[in-house]
Amino acid sequence: MPVNSFEHYPMSWAPSRATLGPGPVYLALAARLERDIASGALPPGTRLPPQRELADYLDVNFTTVTRAYDVCREKNLIYGVTGRGTFVAALPGVDECADAADAFDLGVVQAFPEIGARTVVEAARRVLARDAAEGLFSYRDRDGLARHRAAGRHWLSRRGVDADGRNIAIFPGVQGALSTVLLAVFQVGDAVATDAFTYANFIDLARLARIRLVPVGGDADGMLPAALDDAARRRNLKGVFLMPNCANPTAVTMPAARRDGLADVMRRRGLLVLEDDASLVPSPHRTLFARLPERTVYLSGSTRLVAPGLRSACVAFPSAMRERMLQGLHHLAIKASALDTEIMAELVLSGAAEEVLRQKARRAVEANRIFGQAFPALKGGDARTLFRTVPLPGTAGRGPEVERDLLSRGLRVCHSDRFHVGHGADAPFLRVSLSSCGSTVQLKRAFARLAQTVPSPNG
């Protein structure tokens, strides 16, 4: 029996032992905690009961609660702060601050959606004015019309990807393509390597697909080949997810020599490579797909930068994966929106898409200049990146608190905890979007406020 009576004792989370379900108690308790977090019953920032207190309440061993918390901590659902307790973490990709309409938006990376909007509207009007437009609203041509795949092949070739047209398909956005790979190509429990900080939505997708993410060490040039080789040997890796061109959230771009070293490890270890390329302009460096076409799925995230609301992404994959990729596409989404894809094809084949990205790249240079004025100590890499990072020492594990505090000051940001894979993050930071705040005047005000709020990078 519990040592204490909890009849009139307030607890932030008080699951009933009878509702935990069958199986090991610690797994059932972890599953219940995960469900309550996902449902919103336990919002981000909630302080969970101390482990001994919850163990007493449930009348279970202290180590049972400890193991349950460890399971959820491994999934980045909760985090601990020494001397303060255990808290519910923000789910990757979830904007818990959507109600702060007046805040400067330095969180979402939207690639200046106002630039090229008129061009997209005009392309949509041309598409809908054609007699063939009626055929865009059916289930036929589920892999994408020949015209769509031809436009995709042209777009990919401009980015150094020479793929057979049969091994190209149109997906409803990069998110849809990543979901397809994780669910149709990998198996539950497979291990996939990533950078220690990686794309937050990929973390969430891997969690849903029950894929284990393995953080691999890196340096200023990105993931280290020796570290990847060691992880492949020790952790039985099946694949690796990388963003070689301006990685999200770190903005690291890999030089050619680092790509060569990683490609050698991937080839020797037989790893499947997921290469997400979301750069505004084509990189001068060869893609991983060009180095390992038989092992790489290339996702052209740059298509989403033309117009974020058009859910159409061109994906190239090895011929050996063709059947699984297309079956996964059909099972998960049936097909990409033919209307969105036709509009994108119109933009690509007319050259308008490239022009829109050039305009956005020029705006990005200006935004990076404004950032540099506010944070002169922070030196950047590519001046056309859509986001930058601001060091925030001593805040690892406290991301939700930091975000809420800054939101109260009128700044919506993303803390590095959202992007962290594993435990014990070093060098926490803010990822700061340069492309969603609106005008350059607003961006200057936002960066000035942020510079006044966070500690100086010079210490």
Side-chain angles (χ1 to χ4, degrees), residues 147-158:
R147 165 183 164 85
H148 298 165
R149 285 184 282 112
R153 188 176 186 185
H154 172 74
W155 183 265
L156 294 179
S157 69
R158 297 277 294 159

Side-chain angles (χ1 to χ4, degrees), residues 208-447:
L208 291 172
R210 300 296 188 264
I211 300 297
R212 295 183 295 118
L213 296 185
V214 177
V216 175
D219 59 15
D221 289 336
M223 186 180 288
L224 290 164
L228 177 61
D229 191 51
D230 182 62
R233 177 180 56 82
R234 292 187 301 104
R235 304 293 293 273
N236 190 29
L237 296 179
K238 300 298 182 183
V240 55
F241 171 78
L242 286 171
M243 304 180 76
N245 297 325
C246 196
N248 189 354
T250 59
V252 169
T253 294
M254 289 184 184
R258 180 58 53 85
R259 301 180 195 218
D260 288 338
L262 288 170
D264 179 62
V265 174
M266 296 163 183
R267 183 182 295 107
R268 287 190 293 103
R269 293 294 184 178
L271 301 179
L272 175 63
V273 185
L274 307 183
E275 181 179 14
D276 186 357
D277 184 356
S279 54
L280 274 173
V281 295
S283 169
H285 304 303
R286 291 171 62 230
T287 62
L288 293 173
F289 187 94
R291 290 169 165 84
L292 293 171
E294 75 284 359
R295 306 213 59 83
T296 304
V297 177
Y298 178 91
L299 306 104
S300 179
S302 54
T303 52
R304 68 174 172 245
L305 302 182
V306 176
L310 288 180
R311 308 312 299 156
S312 176
C314 188
V315 178
F317 40 80
S319 57
M321 291 177 54
R322 183 175 188 275
E323 184 176 352
R324 281 177 293 171
M325 290 291 291
L326 295 182
Q327 285 183 349
L329 168 61
H330 301 163
H331 293 156
L332 288 171
I334 299 180
K335 62 177 294 187
S337 163
L339 177 58
D340 282 15
T341 305
E342 180 68 20
I343 295 171
M344 185 61 70
E346 177 77 11
L347 293 167
V348 168
L349 295 176
S350 68
E354 294 282 7
E355 177 55 32
V356 167
L357 291 189
R358 283 192 289 269
Q359 293 176 23
K360 293 190 176 194
R362 289 193 289 271
R363 177 73 172 276
V365 171
E366 173 65 10
N368 275 275
R369 186 186 65 80
I370 295 171
F371 178 88
Q373 292 174 338
F375 297 94
L378 300 179
K379 305 303 180 183
D382 188 343
R384 296 164 298 190
T385 183
L386 296 170
F387 49 87
R388 297 285 292 274
T389 60
V390 177
L392 211 59
T395 63
R398 298 197 293 114
E401 297 175 52
V402 171
E403 290 182 6
R404 282 194 298 274
D405 177 63
L406 287 172
L407 184 64
S408 71
R409 302 167 188 259
L411 295 164
R412 182 181 288 109
V413 297
C414 288
H415 189 276
S416 57
D417 281 358
R418 288 179 179 260
F419 309 94
H420 184 234
V421 181
H423 299 301
D426 294 326
F429 57 89
L430 299 179
R431 188 201 67 182
V432 179
S433 172
L434 311 181
S435 61
S436 299
C437 206
S439 69
T440 55
V441 172
Q442 289 178 304
L443 196 62
K444 288 178 181 179
R445 291 173 178 170
F447 286 154

Side-chain angles (χ1 to χ4, degrees), residues 37-50:
I37 292 174
S39 70
L42 290 174
T46 300
R47 184 178 184 275
L48 295 173

